Every structure is written in structure tokens, then in C-alpha cells.
Amino acid sequence: MTARLMQLGPDCIDDLIAMLSLYRPGPMDSIPTYIRNRADPRLVTYKHPLLKGILQSTYGCIIYQEQVMEIFRTLAGYSFGRADLVRRAMAKKNHAMLENERRAFIHGEAGQCEGCIARGVPERTANEIFDDMTSFASYAFNKSHAAAYANISYQTAYLKYYFYKEYMSALMSVTMYDGADKLTAYLNDCRRSGVKILPLDINRSGGEFAAEEDGIRFSLLAVKSLGASAVGAIVRERERGGSFRDLRDFCKRVSGREVSAKGVEQLIKSGALDSLGNNRREMLSAYERLMSAASHEQRENIEGQLDFFGMGAAQPVNVPIDRLEEYPRHMLLEYEREAVGMYLTGHPLDGISAAAAASGCMSIADILSGCDSGRLRDGGKAAAAVMVTEVKRNKTKRGDMMCFAQCEDKTGSMELVIFPNLYSAVSSAVREGAVIYAQGKLSLRDEEQPKLLADMIETGDTFAARSMRRDICVRLDSRDTERVNAVKAAAAGIAAESGNALKIYFSDKRIMTALKTVKHIAVTEGSLEALTAAAGAGNVRFL
């Protein structure tokens, strides 16, 4: 659709209405004709002069149900009522009823309609016009429907282009409950567009994703166990009493305001309280005591009881928060996933992402879109670096064990099928939470999500270690001096006396060469990222 719109170059709402109606299995064949005739109206032809007044606005192409109705009325003398019956038959794909109308359309019917011949349309031409309308009928669109879609399409395209952060914030706010896959896709779109996704912050986040100067702020409503009433209470308290100073202050001010202890736990795990001065391990060790003490203080204040002798429960300000070493990185990420349904500050695949890209791995989103568009076929080869999220083991009829593993990367999820001959060798590597490299054949079946039938699997560490021993090729255009200089600077920063060779492929000249100043580099995930940042995504590959 994007490619067709670029070819068309729409300049009015009618162009959008037409393209939305044409981009369907039947009328799609008329798209090149529509684009050509719109560019040069002199190329428009009509099978009969009576069609000009009906099809002139669509450059000779039948696009809408309303046009078919008008053809029946103008060429054959149908009444509005009978023409509408034809429209209904098209909407219901009732080909038998349409075919029954052929004789009346061409020869007329006493007391009903004159027919094409009586109005000066040759029988052969009338048959050709009827054939065109019959083939079109299977996918006919009514113009009023397309106009409504086109109006929304234009409005959203305008907003996305001129108010990108605000538009994406609104889009993510209304779809955050539709599942992590859809939200992840929008978040990735933001990142590809250079818009930062700002982390959850108890002193800045609200009930919706919000556009800020530096990016888009994550919504508190995305945190599990924290409903709209709790988020509303937190925001109102923040507006009333100012920013929360620390964890003690937060617990004291939100306790009893529809914020449960479980909600506070999930806020800590999501990273929303990171700005309050303690690390997540320290806060998780203290929040229950702080919430309990805050609740006790509120009860005493309500009952009018004062503890003159210091015998009551400790006040929140006196509950100690022990200094503890922060959790390991992988645990922090798993806590984020538990609290929000996705990783926020990183991903388990971060350690091999650059190596995967340099190896030609595809993202899951690219695999799924490629299958959907027909670019990738059933039985085609694919490779991906993924994390295993769920493992289901099945016994075959022969008693051998095979595996269905649900996997994900930063862009989406898909199923990996591992047959017995391979699974017996890699079963220890395929476990929940494991990062693996998988390659195999795609399985595409109707009404099923694409699957990858694995013929090779290795652990992420093994894949990374194997990859880092390979030489590197960077693709550049020799005329792009800015990128050439950026690659030279990046290479100088990772140069080594010996090790992996660095090659430069100039795509415009189709020659492979080496830098005079840097022959070898130390290949690590960091150095691959540096080269990719300098050369652009997709331009760094292992040889």
C-alpha cells in the first residue's frame, strides 16, 4: 500500500478513497491503470460513451458499488430499487443472482427496464461491461465506506507525521491492554524513528503514555496490580503534596489511597521508584514494613490515639531501609517483565544482538511480515537469535521426545518446532529463559502463525563465541564521506595488532578493500555496535 501510494502521489481525499477501494484482491489489477490514467487523463478510454459520466472521476476504472448501480441505471434503465438489489448481491457475493440479471441488463425486461441494446449499446459491448462488473463484484467496495476509512487514514497520517510523539503516545495508551506484542511493535516503531522511550518514574509518569521534550514517558497503568483508581490516587497525591521524596514518603502518602502493598511491589520491580534514592533490592526488602507502619499510623490518627510513651508501632520515618547490593542484571530484567509484561531497561538478547545482526539473523517481526507479504515462502530458510519463554515436550508415536518452544525477541514472538533427532542433542539448551540461536525452515499453513522448524540450535554463548572469531565486512558508499570517516574513527577505536580482519566493501564501485590505518580489530558486541552506529543498520556483516 505504501509503495502504491508513493507511485500515485495523492493530492486530494478522492485519491485516498480510490486507493483504499482498489487495494483488494479483485480491483487490485486496476491499480496500474488508475495510476497511469490519473497521471495522463488522455489515456482514459471507455467501452461506451455512456460510461464517461460515471467513470470519469475514477479515470475509466470501475471502483465502487455505487458506480455499478449507476451503470445499470444509465445503460439499461434500471430503477433505483432494482439497482440496489444488484448492489446487495455484490455485497453478499451472490454471483448466481448477478448472472440472472445479465439478460435483463442486455435485452431488457418488460415493465422493468429497457436493456442496453434499446439504449444503443451493442450486445457484445454490453456483455463485456457485464463481465467486468461480475468479476469486480466479489470485492466491490461502497464509496461511503471507503470515504470514512480515507478520512480516518488522512487524519492519523497527518497526526503521525506532524505530532509523532503525541500520536504514538495516544495510540499506545489505547492499546496497552491488547497484549504485549502490539505495544512492543509500537515501542519499536518509536525507537526506529529516533524517539526515546522514557522509563517509568513515579514522579513523572501518569495514567497514559505522555509526550515529553526528550521522548515518550511510559504509563503507570502498564504496571500490573495497579489499576486506574490506584494510579489516579498516586497522581492526585503528587499534584497535592509535590513530588515523592523517598520510599518512606511515598508509602506514607499513598497508604490507604487504593494503593495496595502488591501494587507498591510491582512499582518497585518495574523501576518506577528508581528515582527515590534506593536500589530495587533495598526497596523490596523494606516496602512491606513501611506500608504496614503507614497503615498503623493512619488508624491511630483516625481513632485519635496518641502513643505518649513510644510503645506503639514504628512510624514510617523510623523504619530502617538496609543498604544491600543490587540484584544481578538478569533478575532486574525478569522483574520488569513480571511487572509490566515486557523488558524496559534492556533485554536478555542485548549481549548478542549485534552479533546476530552481523550473522544475517532476522527479527521475528521481519519473519512474520515477510511471511505475510509473500516475501518469505513455505520451506524457506530463516535464522534468528531468540529467548525461550515456554517449552512443551511431546512424545511421538515412536516414543521419541520432541519440543514446541515459544520464543521471542525484542520485536515479537513465534513458535520453534524441534524434532526428535535434533532435540535429543539440544534439550539441555532449550529451557525457559534461555537465549539461543536457531536456524531452520519456515512452516506456513492457513490460519496458523508461521513456525520455524529447527535444523540447528546452539546456546547464545556458543553462537557469540563462534561468531566473534569471524572477519568483518562493512558496506559503504565511497561517495558518503561522512559515513566513511565515521567508520574510520570507529575502527581506530577498536583496532588490534592482530585478530579479526576488517574489510570495506564499496557498493557503488563493487570492490572490496581494507583500511590503510586499521587492518585488524577486536571483535566484541561493543565493537560491532560501534561499527553499526557508524555504517548504519544492515551494513556490518561477518565474512
Side-chain angles (χ1 to χ4, degrees):
M1 176 65 91
T2 302
R4 292 301 193 183
L5 285 170
M6 290 173 68
Q7 292 169 2
L8 177 66
D11 61 12
C12 62
I13 195 71
D14 281 338
D15 286 337
L16 299 183
I17 297 170
M19 192 57 70
L20 278 163
S21 301
L22 284 167
Y23 201 81
R24 299 159 67 76
M28 189 178 287
D29 294 338
S30 299
I31 291 178
T33 303
Y34 182 86
I35 293 174
R36 183 200 66 194
N37 291 354
R38 179 184 173 278
D40 186 358
R42 294 173 299 177
L43 299 175
V44 177
T45 59
Y46 304 99
K47 289 184 176 178
H48 192 275
L50 288 175
L51 292 174
K52 183 175 181 180
I54 303 169
L55 303 181
Q56 189 172 21
S57 64
T58 54
Y59 306 100
C61 300
I62 300 175
I63 298 180
Y64 310 116
Q65 289 179 6
E66 290 89 341
Q67 288 176 315
V68 174
M69 291 172 61
E70 193 60 28
I71 290 171
F72 273 84
R73 292 191 65 252
T74 302
L75 273 66
Y78 274 50
S79 66
F80 278 111
R82 186 158 181 170
D84 190 56
L85 291 177
V86 174
R87 181 198 62 78
R88 294 182 192 180
M90 284 190 297
K92 296 178 180 179
K93 299 179 174 59
N94 190 336
H95 293 276
M97 180 179 174
L98 284 173
E99 194 60 34
N100 289 337
E101 292 291 329
R102 183 186 291 268
R103 181 172 180 80
F105 177 74
I106 297 170
H107 298 285
E109 190 173 299
Q112 295 292 322
C113 59
E114 296 178 47
C116 289
I117 294 175
R119 294 200 168 191
V121 181
E123 182 175 355
R124 181 176 177 180
T125 302
N127 267 304
E128 290 177 358
I129 293 171
F130 193 91
D131 288 339
D132 289 344
M133 291 189 295
T134 301
S135 61
F136 166 82
S138 293
Y139 303 98
F141 224 46
N142 63 71
K143 187 175 183 179
S144 60
H145 203 73
Y149 276 133
N151 190 44
I152 293 172
S153 298
Y154 178 73
Q155 290 174 341
T156 53
Y158 180 92
L159 291 171
K160 187 175 182 181
Y161 184 82
Y162 289 105
F163 303 95
Y164 182 81
K165 289 190 292 185
E166 291 79 2
Y167 173 77
M168 294 302 293
S169 297
L171 188 62
M172 291 189 289
S173 294
V174 299
T175 57
M176 74 172 92
Y177 305 107
D178 294 342
D181 282 354
K182 184 175 287 189
L183 183 56
T184 298
Y186 294 145
L187 291 169
N188 287 332
D189 189 283
C190 292
R191 295 183 181 109
R192 283 193 298 271
S193 299
V195 174
K196 291 182 180 179
I197 301 300
L198 305 175
L200 284 159
D201 187 333
I202 200 64
N203 283 322
R204 304 195 70 171
S205 297
E208 297 180 341
F209 287 83
E212 295 185 9
E213 184 177 350
D214 297 333
I216 296 175
R217 181 70 60 181
F218 220 89
S219 164
L220 285 174
L221 276 174
V223 180
K224 297 177 181 178
S225 302
L226 202 70
S229 59
V231 170
I234 290 171
V235 172
R236 287 192 298 274
E237 175 58 32
R238 191 174 68 203
E239 291 172 347
R240 184 194 66 82
S243 297
F244 300 106
R245 297 186 298 277
D246 52 33
L247 183 62
R248 293 185 183 88
D249 181 51
F250 176 74
C251 290
K252 181 175 181 179
R253 290 167 59 185
V254 304
S255 177
R257 298 178 184 271
E258 304 179 21
V259 182
S260 66
K262 182 64 176 177
V264 176
E265 177 188 351
Q266 297 293 67
L267 282 169
I268 295 170
K269 289 181 174 179
S270 72
L273 305 187
D274 285 359
S275 62
L276 298 186
N278 291 94
N279 66 41
R280 297 183 201 179
R281 188 171 195 168
E282 292 167 349
M283 290 188 283
L284 284 173
S285 72
Y287 80 93
E288 288 182 301
R289 288 177 289 134
L290 288 166
M291 289 293 285
S292 177
S295 297
H296 183 82
E297 180 186 23
Q298 288 173 0
R299 286 195 302 271
E300 285 195 338
N301 288 338
I302 291 171
E303 295 169 3
Q305 296 175 351
L306 298 176
D307 184 2
F308 291 106
F309 303 102
M311 299 297 291
Q315 302 301 315
V317 72
N318 295 322
V319 173
I321 301 177
D322 298 328
R323 289 294 175 183
L324 302 169
E325 185 178 350
E326 181 60 291
Y327 291 114
R329 177 71 169 163
H330 69 89
M331 284 189 65
L332 294 176
L333 292 177
E334 285 306 315
Y335 278 148
E336 290 175 3
R337 182 183 175 86
E338 174 192 326
V340 187
M342 64 181 67
Y343 301 108
L344 299 178
T345 59
H347 195 282
L349 289 171
D350 285 344
I352 64 169
S353 291
S359 297
C361 289
M362 297 179 68
S363 71
I364 289 178
D366 285 342
I367 292 174
L368 296 179
S369 64
C371 294
D372 186 51
S373 67
R375 183 167 48 86
L376 298 177
R377 306 277 183 175
D378 184 53
K381 283 280 190 179
V386 296
M387 187 186 75
V388 180
T389 58
E390 184 180 0
V391 176
K392 294 181 180 177
R393 298 174 179 84
N394 277 9
K395 271 191 178 181
T396 66
K397 292 180 179 178
R398 297 177 56 181
D400 299 322
M401 195 67 72
M402 66 177 295
C403 171
F404 298 90
Q406 194 67 29
C407 300
E408 70 171 35
D409 64 7
K410 299 177 184 180
T411 67
S413 62
M414 71 180 299
E415 189 172 67
L416 180 67
V417 182
I418 311 169
F419 293 111
N421 58 341
L422 177 61
Y423 187 59
S424 61
V426 300
S427 57
S428 60
V430 183
R431 64 185 191 282
E432 290 185 12
V435 172
I436 61 172
Y437 166 81
Q439 68 179 36
K441 296 179 180 178
L442 292 166
S443 174
L444 310 183
R445 295 185 179 180
D446 291 341
E447 299 181 3
E448 286 188 12
Q449 280 283 85
K451 298 178 176 62
L452 183 63
L453 311 182
D455 53 38
M456 175 189 172
I457 287 177
E458 58 187 357
T459 66
D461 289 340
T462 301
F463 164 73
R466 174 173 62 83
S467 300
M468 298 306 177
R469 294 193 292 268
R470 299 165 65 183
D471 294 333
I472 300 294
C473 176
V474 178
R475 180 175 59 189
L476 292 169
D477 187 316
S478 64
R479 298 163 295 186
D480 190 345
T481 55
E482 184 177 345
R483 281 204 163 163
V484 171
N485 290 333
V487 169
K488 287 180 179 179
I494 55 177
E497 289 286 331
S498 61
N500 308 73
L502 174 64
K503 301 290 185 181
I504 305 297
Y505 175 72
F506 289 117
S507 56
D508 57 319
K509 297 181 177 180
R510 296 186 177 182
I511 59 171
M512 184 88 77
T513 185
L515 294 176
K516 293 180 180 179
T517 53
V518 179
K519 302 292 185 183
H520 299 90
I521 60 171
V523 178
T524 64
E525 186 71 9
S527 63
L528 289 173
E529 289 174 350
L531 285 174
T532 301
N539 289 320
V540 177
R541 286 293 178 93
F542 289 121
L543 289 173

